[in-house]
Amino acid sequence: MKKVFLIILLFSIVFFQIIAEKLPIQESTIGDSTFFLKVSMEFLDTFEKNNYSLWQVSEILPFALLNIIFVFAGFGLEPAFLQSGMILLNLFFLLISVYSFFRIMDMLQLNKNLECLAFVILFFNYFFLKEIWYNPFNNELAVLATGLVQVNLFLRNKRDVLLLVSFVGMFVSPFLPLIGLLFLVFPYDYHDVKISEKPISGISKVLILAFVLLLFVLGLISGRLEQSWTYWMGFVMSVLAFASLLYWTAKISPIELHVAWGFVKKGISSKQIMILISGLAVVYTLLFLLSGAKKTFGILQFYQDELVSAFQFPFDFLISHTLYFGLLIPFSLIFLRKLIQESLFMGLGFTLILTIFLFIAIHPTSGHLVAFVPALFLGLMKVLRRYRLKGKDLVKVSLLNLSLSMFWMDFNNQMLKGAMEKRVSVDFLLRRNWTGISNPQDYLVMILVFFAILSLLFMLELGKRRYVRRIGH
């Protein structure tokens, strides 16, 4: 009964979001979605003539498919018609996501309350309840749906189907074929890993220091330390805050660094390395050849842009991802020790996927993480399944996540429209004109939001300790 209610609630909110506000400029598009609208209008006519970048080719499939359907069905290619078609396509991806979710739940065999909690954590957030319908020309729901299918196939060890899905996924997100290959090369297999209580090792401290120094060097090279004092001070404070997070992670990690290295060496063979490298070479060479003019390759420029826009405010990435994906991120942090342990138990491939996720997550643009969210969700639910959740706590978490999703907020106003018209490449956070992590905004607002997120983490940590005491570990 609870599951039926949550499903009805999800689709009811989605329905009202579909008929609610959309982006107020450029045919409801901004940044990448403007390009995706153009693909939806012109793909069959211009694909051979256009010089797409590798990144664009790797995200083009949903919009190329929309164009093909409209052309063969004889529908008009006006933006308003295409927007309706894109909303229907996103609804299809939502159905795939819900179906894959319950297939994953069948494998995890959670009790009813935990299954409902899993549904709330995955679906009741800004991403599902607002972003996809506010900005319809968006490939992120297609990415997440494909990622959930990959996780389901990984758990069931259906390697042939997983290979096919990952091949198709290379035209949905550049990360999906990498995730698929890691799942294929290192299939799901329980690994017994020695867990220890330990102080942080000296080599961990050296690696953290080296990484921080590298960030400062890159900041100097990219000009981050040559800006106004508020700009470079934000960068310095952000890097130091990130270093403290790395130190805390190393301190709570349940495995020694040398043991982790032994786990890697034991879990990988030269044959697996060759298969992985060959698979990635085939995938990205194909994408490169399809990208047209080689000058539009785009990868180096992408990473340069990422460096310039990261580390603008302490823990900006943590605030951004929590607002975007809801309680999935805070829960992952407070259960991080157990999450690391579970990832090691599930094998090297799964561990590498979460490691890549952690490196990408330091940038506050949350859309980059969507392909990795299904794996993070799986790891978290394997941690939580040892607990017995009370019904009243399920209600509290549900209401909290719904509040964080901000589906109930109206974003559109003249101030927002003006900001978008001046800066058409902004990420989603600028649309919430009370905060903006990736852009120079009101620092007081960001500080308030930062402390609100810390308070949320503290509250969840207290709840976790209550459950830990109850089950005795």
Side-chain angles (χ1 to χ4, degrees), residues 146-433:
T146 308
L148 286 171
V149 172
Q150 286 181 316
V151 165
N152 177 46
L153 296 172
F154 167 69
L155 287 174
R156 297 173 184 276
N157 203 26
K158 294 186 176 181
R159 299 165 62 83
D160 294 340
V161 185
L162 178 57
L163 177 62
L164 177 61
V165 170
S166 301
F167 178 79
V168 174
M170 77 178 185
F171 299 106
V172 180
S173 166
F175 296 121
L176 288 174
L178 170 62
I179 293 171
L181 281 170
L182 287 171
F183 279 154
L184 285 165
V185 175
F186 308 101
Y188 180 54
D189 185 23
Y190 182 84
H191 286 70
D192 189 14
V193 181
K194 182 181 179 182
I195 304 301
S196 61
E197 297 288 342
K198 53 156 186 65
I200 183 171
S201 64
I203 189 170
S204 295
K205 295 178 183 178
V206 171
L207 289 174
I208 292 171
L209 179 61
F211 188 66
V212 170
L213 291 176
L214 175 62
L215 288 176
F216 277 119
V217 170
L218 293 174
L220 184 63
I221 294 174
S222 64
R224 293 292 300 274
L225 299 178
E226 299 174 2
Q227 307 293 328
S228 65
W229 75 269
T230 55
Y231 194 78
W232 67 257
M233 181 62 71
F235 174 75
V236 171
M237 291 176 62
S238 298
V239 171
L240 293 178
F242 180 63
S244 68
L245 181 62
L246 288 178
Y247 183 88
W248 173 75
T249 303
K251 189 174 180 63
I252 67 166
S253 174
I255 186 170
E256 294 277 8
L257 195 61
H258 70 276
V259 177
W261 177 243
F263 169 72
V264 172
K265 290 194 296 183
K266 182 180 178 181
I268 194 169
S269 65
S270 57
K271 180 180 178 181
Q272 288 173 315
I273 294 174
M274 288 301 299
I275 293 174
L276 183 62
I277 293 175
S278 301
L280 291 175
V282 169
V283 167
Y284 294 113
T285 299
L286 179 59
L287 289 174
F288 179 73
L289 293 174
L290 290 173
S291 65
K294 305 306 180 286
K295 65 180 181 181
T296 62
F297 187 69
I299 291 294
L300 293 178
Q301 184 63 43
F302 169 78
Y303 283 111
Q304 182 178 344
D305 294 342
E306 296 301 283
L307 176 64
V308 170
S309 55
F311 297 112
Q312 295 198 9
F313 183 81
F315 299 118
D316 50 4
F317 58 93
L318 174 60
I319 302 171
S320 178
H321 304 329
T322 300
L323 292 175
Y324 205 70
F325 296 115
L327 293 177
L328 174 66
I329 304 302
F331 269 121
S332 299
L333 276 176
I334 64 173
F335 288 100
L336 186 58
R337 176 181 169 84
K338 293 291 184 182
L339 184 59
I340 294 171
Q341 184 175 326
E342 280 294 340
S343 69
L344 292 169
F345 288 159
M346 294 175 68
L348 183 58
F350 191 85
T351 305
L352 289 174
I353 290 169
L354 290 190
T355 303
I356 296 170
F357 167 87
L358 291 175
F359 277 102
I360 297 176
I362 64 177
H363 194 277
T365 301
S366 303
H368 299 161
L369 301 179
V370 173
F372 298 90
V373 163
L376 178 66
F377 170 74
L378 172 62
L380 178 62
M381 295 320 300
K382 286 182 73 67
V383 170
L384 294 180
R385 67 179 178 175
R386 70 192 68 198
Y387 299 96
R388 295 294 179 265
L389 184 68
K390 288 185 175 181
K392 64 178 183 179
D393 290 329
L394 172 62
V395 173
K396 292 176 184 177
V397 171
S398 301
L399 292 176
L400 181 57
N401 218 26
L402 281 172
S403 299
L404 281 173
S405 74
M406 289 179 288
F407 75 91
W408 38 270
M409 285 184 65
D410 289 331
F411 291 159
N412 292 346
N413 55 44
Q414 285 301 118
M415 183 188 303
L416 175 64
K417 185 176 180 181
M420 286 185 169
E421 288 174 344
K422 292 177 182 178
R423 189 179 177 87
V424 295
S425 63
V426 296
D427 66 21
F428 85 101
L429 283 174
L430 185 57
R431 296 207 292 277
R432 304 171 187 162
N433 47 38

Side-chain angles (χ1 to χ4, degrees), residues 110-130:
L110 303 179
N111 62 48
K112 291 182 179 179
N113 277 355
L114 280 179
E115 189 170 325
C116 291
L117 176 66
F119 191 92
V120 167
I121 288 175
L122 183 61
F123 290 108
F124 285 4
N125 50 46
Y126 174 86
F127 171 75
F128 271 104
L129 299 184
K130 188 72 175 183

